[in-house]
Amino acid sequence: MMNKVKREIPEEVRGNNKLFAGVNTDCKVVQRAAPKVRPIKLGEEKLVASIEEVINKLNLCDNMTISFHHHFREGDYIINLVMDAIAKKGIKNLTIAPSSLTNVHAPLVHHIKTGVITNMTTSGLRGELGEAISNGVMKEPVRLRSHGGRARAIEAGDIKIDVAFLGVPSTDLYGNANGVKGKTICGSLGYAQMDAKYADQVVLLTDTILPYPNTPISIAQTDVDYIVKLDKIGDSEGIGIGATRFTTNPKELQIAELVKEVITKSVYFKNGFSFQTGTGGAALAVTRFLAEEMKNNSIKASFALGGITKPMLTLLEENLVDTILDVQDFDKEAAISLGQQERQIEISASYYADPHNKGAAVNQLDVVILSALEVDNQFNVNVMTGSDGVLRGAIGGHCDAANAKMTIISAPLVRGRIPTIVDRVNTVITPGESVDVIVTEIGIAINPKRRDLIASLSDQGIPIFTIDALQEKAYEITGTPKPIEYEDKVVALVEYRDGTLIDKVLQVKQ
Amino acid sequence: MEIINQSTSGTLESSDIQIILGPNKQGIDIDIRSSVQKQFGEHIDMLIRKILSDKMIEHAKVLVVDNGALDCTIRARMETAIYRSIEGNQRVEWGVIK
């Protein structure tokens, strides 16, 4: 049986999950899960000398689920340090449930091969780890979830965390932690807040201990079992790697210019509008271009959302944006600013994007600009697998934010010899149903169901094509790529944000 | 045409292709390493064979490192390599090559 985006999910890997049936969730009432709590005794201290000692205290054993956050992105030391210590203890068959994984987590491949890790859920897989999983190193398929989808899964008990190992830039000795003070700051701890609230046991790992009470309180003492002091928990510079390129690439600038045109000529560009931009050269340039137009037209935005970057701070400082809702910081400047700017507010992953709470911030979004590895002529978007079928991306908040009033996907028509607009994306992450405009360097395509946008953006000097025409133009340049060959084995399942299955990733053929 | 000496053309930059072309005892041997092997490996192989046969070259060894070059680039780099390989045997008038 096919799901709504015409993908087949084999019965034997489906488990209890329903198939994707559309962006509107049909879930009526949710029973939330709750953690077990071991009350802290009077006079009890939480500081433990080492990771090894805390593992003993936790009674960490086979088959447990442990979690991490990825606020340090490419600068994270915690996951590798903790997993190495766990492996040395001889513990096996763990499920790891980090909010995401990056290139620095390649050492996990070894722990998979030796049976320490046998199950995994994450938002991203890159580098050697992505390649190993695409080549079938794991027996069980990895569960890929968006940031909103992970928050939902934790709240619903789909992910039941036994122990959360959370790296925090600073904490006091009783567990009040934040990401804006300390030696190695990361800014928002929005993803980690889910783990702190729902894990049975919570361990904070830090390189900076501050006097009690350490404020602001992003993670509260009421949720923390143990604290471990390390020499260094990460590298703040690694937060921005790959995200904050200041582009001079004419193709990206042309795309950014067209995105700006689409936004400013739409009905959404008015006082009080809201927006989210992703990372990458074009998205950052859009923020800059948009700022100019806002000044010229005396338009001020009510809020900006999502992963926060330096160009966004400039808008806040120039009073072009009222409030930044900050679930994650994509560079050191944004992380520092969270500690200083009153109008930059830390929010949790649930507040940001969870489809099964009483209203997430993404529901309030007017305009979002997102990137893509591939878009197909049904407007489905892939941000997870490369053109060779190998896992090398991250869902992030892509499908969460894509339900904005106007969802813009910016992507070059071709990358080298690889067409970006294709007839069938390798993996559906965000369904075309929620995508409105595709912007390439030669022009835009508007989802036919958005007749209002077609009417309002026509005759405005923006080149408009059908999505099929864009695809033909891409193939004219590159030639028609041979479809990727796969084995039968499912290496990953893609959950849509509401927990339904939207696609699978198969093992690539060697 | 006959491939006399080994020649190189192109670079390892992205969207370029580097070709090392040399003589071969018997037939055409092509070794392709491409960043788009799965999608375009066969196509690149066929294109190179076609360029060689258009130049009536029957014996050649071709080593290709491709970083996603388009067909026009592959053609240009192949032709350059071919003319460099036949130099010494005959003088190439680079100014009149079409």
Side-chain angles (χ1 to χ4, degrees):
Chain A
M1 206 174 81
M2 301 261 213
N3 67 13
K4 207 185 170 198
V5 287
K6 301 198 174 68
R7 300 289 164 135
E8 186 86 48
I9 316 285
E11 192 114 33
E12 59 273 23
V13 291
R14 224 182 275 169
N16 296 325
N17 290 77
K18 290 184 182 166
L19 296 182
F20 173 71
V23 298
N24 256 317
T25 184
D26 66 350
C27 183
K28 298 213 169 54
V29 178
V30 182
Q31 179 61 54
R32 291 253 169 105
K36 283 189 197 121
V37 175
R38 180 187 62 85
I40 294 287
K41 295 185 178 62
L42 293 170
E44 186 178 333
E45 285 183 9
K46 297 186 182 180
L47 188 67
V48 177
S50 65
I51 297 178
E52 288 72 20
E53 199 180 320
V54 91
I55 291 170
N56 290 340
K57 283 195 177 266
L58 290 161
N59 291 319
L60 193 69
C61 55
D62 294 5
N63 305 310
M64 279 188 165
T65 296
I66 61 175
S67 77
F68 306 91
H69 70 71
H70 77 295
H71 285 289
F72 293 107
R73 303 180 77 243
E74 299 287 350
D76 175 60
Y77 295 175
I78 298 292
I79 296 183
N80 292 336
L81 280 173
V82 171
M83 287 314 303
D84 286 349
I86 289 174
K88 273 193 197 126
K89 292 262 172 202
I91 299 166
K92 304 270 181 198
N93 294 327
L94 294 176
T95 296
I96 63 164
S99 51
S100 198
L101 294 167
T102 64
N103 286 298
V104 296
H105 301 118
L108 295 183
V109 175
H110 175 72
H111 298 311
I112 294 167
K113 286 181 178 162
T114 51
V116 179
I117 298 169
T118 46
N119 277 286
M120 194 185 287
T121 176
T122 177
S123 151
L125 286 170
R126 296 176 193 275
E128 277 174 53
L129 179 61
E131 242 164 72
I133 289 171
S134 271
N135 282 301
V137 73
M138 288 193 70
K139 210 168 128 199
E140 296 296 325
V142 173
R143 192 61 69 107
L144 299 171
R145 291 180 166 106
S146 69
H147 294 325
R150 178 181 193 263
R152 179 209 60 75
I154 291 173
E155 288 175 351
D158 294 355
I159 303 174
K160 183 76 208 81
I161 304 167
D162 294 299
V163 183
F165 291 94
L166 305 176
V168 291
S170 68
T171 177
D172 57 44
L173 285 170
Y174 222 40
N176 296 300
N178 62 58
V180 297
K181 292 179 183 169
K183 274 192 275 187
T184 318
I185 64 164
C186 65
S188 176
L189 286 171
Y191 302 135
Q193 287 176 339
M194 302 309 301
D195 306 54
K197 279 267 166 249
Y198 285 88
D200 283 353
Q201 299 190 83
V202 175
V203 181
L204 301 185
L205 302 107
T206 191
D207 50 22
T208 307
I209 290 184
L210 293 175
Y212 183 90
N214 179 36
T215 60
I217 300 171
S218 300
I219 290 173
Q221 62 183 40
T222 48
D223 296 321
V224 174
D225 293 82
Y226 301 109
I227 298 161
V228 179
K229 171 115 186 335
L230 302 172
D231 290 338
K232 196 110 179 70
I233 54 169
D235 174 10
S236 294
E237 302 300 331
I239 299 171
I241 291 175
T244 52
R245 217 155 28 98
F246 192 84
T247 190
T248 52
N249 178 334
K251 198 151 117 176
E252 285 184 339
L253 289 172
Q254 171 67 17
I255 293 170
E257 180 68 31
L258 267 178
V259 171
K260 182 205 78 184
E261 290 288 300
V262 169
I263 296 171
T264 55
K265 285 173 178 165
S266 76
V267 295
Y268 304 109
F269 191 61
K270 57 181 187 218
N271 233 347
F273 85 113
S274 61
F275 68 97
Q276 173 172 343
T277 59
T279 57
L284 296 188
V286 169
T287 310
R288 278 194 292 146
F289 293 168
L290 205 54
E292 265 167 59
E293 289 300 311
M294 290 165 78
K295 268 185 236 164
N296 295 343
N297 295 282
S298 307
I299 284 176
K300 191 175 166 184
S302 56
F303 74 93
L305 182 63
I308 305 303
T309 53
K310 196 170 168 234
M312 212 85 106
L313 308 177
T314 317
L315 265 65
L316 193 69
E317 282 153 17
E318 292 179 4
N319 223 10
L320 294 168
V321 174
D322 248 335
T323 307
I324 289 178
L325 298 177
D326 183 349
V327 71
Q328 178 180 18
D329 293 290
F330 279 140
D331 52 40
K332 204 176 162 184
E333 289 85 352
I336 294 168
S337 165
L338 179 68
Q340 298 167 346
Q341 264 287 1
E342 234 171 76
R343 293 180 291 131
Q344 185 177 349
I345 313 289
E346 182 178 42
I347 58 169
S348 74
S350 177
Y351 188 106
Y352 167 49
D354 182 348
H356 288 177
N357 62 22
K358 297 180 185 177
V362 290
N363 302 359
Q364 293 289 319
L365 261 183
D366 289 326
V367 178
V368 65
I369 302 108
L370 299 164
S371 61
L373 290 169
E374 290 178 320
V375 184
D376 68 23
N377 48 24
Q378 303 299 307
F379 289 82
N380 296 317
V381 181
N382 168 22
V383 288
M384 197 66 222
T385 47
S387 57
D388 55 0
V390 175
L391 292 155
R392 65 172 81 249
I395 302 178
H398 203 284
C399 58
D400 299 314
N403 293 304
K405 295 194 180 75
M406 181 166 73
T407 298
I408 299 170
I409 305 292
S410 72
L413 196 62
V414 299
R415 290 186 175 94
R417 160 140 232 177
I418 300 296
T420 308
I421 320 289
V422 296
D423 57 0
R424 190 177 190 275
V425 290
N426 277 328
T427 313
V428 182
I429 298 296
T430 296
E433 191 185 339
S434 57
V435 172
D436 300 309
V437 187
I438 311 292
V439 179
T440 72
E441 66 275 27
I442 67 158
I444 71 169
I446 303 170
N447 193 326
K449 78 179 168 84
R450 290 302 302 268
R451 280 194 216 132
D452 58 324
L453 284 179
I454 294 171
S456 66
L457 292 173
S458 293
D459 308 316
Q460 298 256 31
I462 303 171
I464 303 178
F465 298 88
T466 63
I467 189 83
D468 294 317
L470 280 186
Q471 189 217 323
E472 270 169 40
K473 282 186 184 294
Y475 281 38
E476 258 171 45
I477 298 168
T478 64
T480 303
K482 214 178 104 190
I484 302 299
E485 289 179 48
Y486 295 101
E487 308 282 354
D488 293 334
K489 180 176 169 180
V490 177
V491 297
L493 284 168
V494 185
E495 264 189 21
Y496 187 61
R497 53 202 299 260
D498 64 358
T500 57
L501 296 176
I502 192 161
D503 208 349
K504 62 182 181 298
V505 180
L506 295 174
Q507 182 176 344
V508 288
K509 228 176 204 151
Q510 270 311 303
Chain B
M1 281 181 192
E2 201 182 333
I3 303 295
I4 308 292
N5 44 303
Q6 186 172 302
S7 73
T8 307
S9 69
T11 71
L12 299 173
E13 297 292 316
S14 105
S15 293
D16 201 352
I17 184 167
Q18 188 174 68
I19 290 163
I20 302 171
L21 179 66
N24 201 16
K25 282 201 188 92
Q26 188 59 47
I28 307 281
D29 287 330
I30 305 179
D31 179 9
I32 297 174
R33 279 165 230 170
S34 171
S35 61
V36 292
Q37 192 92 27
K38 287 180 184 168
Q39 303 95 317
F40 292 103
E42 278 172 32
H43 170 88
I44 295 168
D45 185 272
M46 274 164 57
L47 180 63
I48 288 172
R49 282 178 201 280
K50 167 113 185 16
I51 294 165
L52 291 170
S53 92
D54 286 351
K55 299 272 187 234
M56 315 285 195
I57 294 167
E58 288 168 354
H59 310 292
K61 194 176 269 182
V62 194
L63 177 66
V64 165
V65 184
D66 168 58
N67 275 312
L70 298 175
D71 281 4
C72 51
T73 312
I74 298 173
R75 273 199 202 94
R77 295 304 192 194
M78 265 307 286
E79 286 196 23
T80 308
I82 289 168
Y83 287 117
R84 283 174 181 164
S85 287
I86 61 172
E87 262 188 334
N89 184 34
Q90 58 187 86
R91 177 138 183 83
V92 177
E93 295 289 334
W94 287 99
V96 296
I97 289 170
K98 281 195 273 189

